[in-house]
Amino acid sequence: MIGKRSDGRNKCFMNLEMTDRNSKYSLGSLGLEVCANGYESALAAQEGGAKRVELCDNLAEGGTTPSHAQIALAKRNLSIQVWPIIRPRGGDFLYSELEFDLIKEDIKICKSLNCDGIVIGLLKADGSIDKERCAELIELAKPMPVSFHRAFDMSNNLEKSLEDLIELGIARVLSSGGSSSAIQGADTLAKLILQAKGRITVMPGSGINENNLQDLIDKTGATEFHASAKEFVTSRMEFRNIHTKMGNIEDEYQYELTSTEKVNSLVKIINHNR
């Protein structure tokens, strides 16, 4: 009997069963969302075949709100969806009244630029979803849909937080399953997708690359995935002052941009599973 086998097949059958069940509950078509750290990265994401960009700045801090110009040019010149992240600073997700006012003003800007949606994430001091403030932002954002970023992974109870987001009407939640990477949190992600039952899209993200994406697809049954697909670009500066720095980045004569080739590699893996 399958239940008594110890040769590894039982685990395989269980994984296949979970993937089938999760696929039934997944929302939307298969596709890749790219976390683009600016207009140039967004263009690269589109060229590589991404279905959507989460537009942000300051990837080293987990992403903050991009400038008006970045959003405006992305909306003007991209044919794929543009969803700016609305996050006034790095660090935690407990915001002051001043920061909350900044968030609301940025949402108004996104509405004026006809963004396809926005990405938010607010928590209370106890680690629960700040439903009251989220509800206010969702109402302000209408008719734009709203998704929730990895503040979800920093909440105090993922299962309860998922139900809170569903109750709020959040379209999609980005998650690593509460782990340092999506592949490490794959088992939790699979359970969250089962719990969601198609009421919200649970989108794995964090550390996804061409070496682990297929494994993540097999383990979770998710249909949408999130990656930065970035690479370092070497500065073209000929003169380099080695005696001082502008910040605390180790090498300031390089910067990160989304790689069209890396995006395309991920898209090919996803498309192979259609």
Side-chain angles (χ1 to χ4, degrees):
M1 295 176 62
I2 292 175
K4 296 183 178 180
R5 298 189 74 96
S6 59
D7 58 357
R9 293 186 184 181
N10 184 28
K11 184 176 181 180
C12 177
F13 285 131
M14 289 175 65
N15 285 343
L16 286 172
E17 180 183 2
M18 179 163 285
T19 298
D20 287 343
R21 289 159 63 197
N22 283 4
S23 296
K24 181 176 69 174
Y25 293 132
S26 297
L27 277 173
S29 58
L30 282 164
L32 179 70
E33 173 184 276
V34 170
C35 181
N37 63 337
Y39 173 52
E40 187 173 355
S41 285
L43 288 172
Q46 175 170 280
E47 186 177 348
K51 67 182 292 185
R52 179 176 59 245
V53 293
E54 179 197 62
L55 193 64
C56 69
D57 200 353
N58 297 318
L59 275 180
E61 293 188 275
T64 55
T65 308
S67 72
H68 184 286
Q70 300 274 14
I71 302 171
L73 285 175
K75 275 303 299 175
R76 187 182 307 163
N77 297 312
L78 268 67
S79 58
I80 62 174
Q81 292 188 10
V82 177
W83 291 55
I85 189 172
I86 310 298
R87 187 183 178 210
R89 57 164 172 80
D92 65 39
F93 306 101
L94 179 64
Y95 297 115
S96 67
E97 284 299 324
L98 184 150
E99 290 169 331
F100 191 54
D101 285 341
L102 287 171
I103 289 171
K104 289 186 283 188
E105 287 303 311
D106 280 325
I107 290 175
K108 293 175 185 177
I109 290 172
C110 289
K111 283 182 74 170
S112 71
L113 294 172
N114 296 315
C115 289
D116 300 281
I118 57 166
V119 185
I120 66 170
L122 297 88
L123 301 178
K124 292 184 176 180
D126 64 0
S128 62
I129 302 295
D130 192 337
K131 293 194 292 182
E132 293 77 13
R133 277 182 160 184
C134 284
E136 184 177 344
L137 298 182
I138 290 168
E139 184 64 28
L140 177 62
K142 289 179 178 177
M144 294 186 300
V146 177
S147 67
F148 203 89
H149 56 56
R150 286 190 62 220
F152 172 80
D153 288 321
M154 306 304 289
S155 66
N156 60 12
N157 184 316
L158 296 186
E159 292 78 12
K160 173 65 167 57
S161 294
L162 186 65
E163 293 301 325
D164 287 342
L165 297 184
I166 291 169
E167 179 184 338
L168 284 164
I170 293 290
R172 182 172 54 254
V173 57
L174 173 64
S175 177
S176 63
S179 297
S180 59
S181 68
I183 195 65
Q184 291 181 347
D187 290 343
T188 298
L189 286 166
K191 293 175 183 177
L192 290 170
I193 291 172
L194 282 176
Q195 178 187 337
K197 295 181 180 178
R199 296 173 294 166
I200 189 173
T201 297
V202 177
M203 179 173 62
S206 183
I208 293 179
N209 56 56
E210 61 184 67
N211 297 317
N212 59 29
L213 178 54
Q214 185 59 57
D215 196 22
L216 197 58
I217 292 172
D218 294 338
K219 287 182 176 181
T220 67
T223 57
E224 295 191 27
F225 301 87
H226 173 100
S228 61
K230 63 184 184 294
E231 64 181 2
F232 282 105
V233 178
T234 302
S235 170
R236 299 192 301 272
M237 286 293 297
E238 296 177 2
F239 171 76
R240 303 189 178 195
N241 186 343
I242 62 173
H243 302 294
T244 188
K245 288 186 174 183
M246 299 303 295
N248 56 12
I249 298 174
E250 184 176 349
D251 184 356
E252 293 185 334
Y253 289 99
Q254 64 177 6
Y255 54 95
E256 293 178 322
L257 285 177
T258 296
S259 163
T260 297
E261 291 73 21
K262 287 187 177 182
V263 172
N264 190 246
S265 294
L266 295 174
V267 169
K268 284 180 178 178
I269 294 171
I270 294 171
N271 288 341
H272 182 70
N273 288 270
R274 289 185 186 275

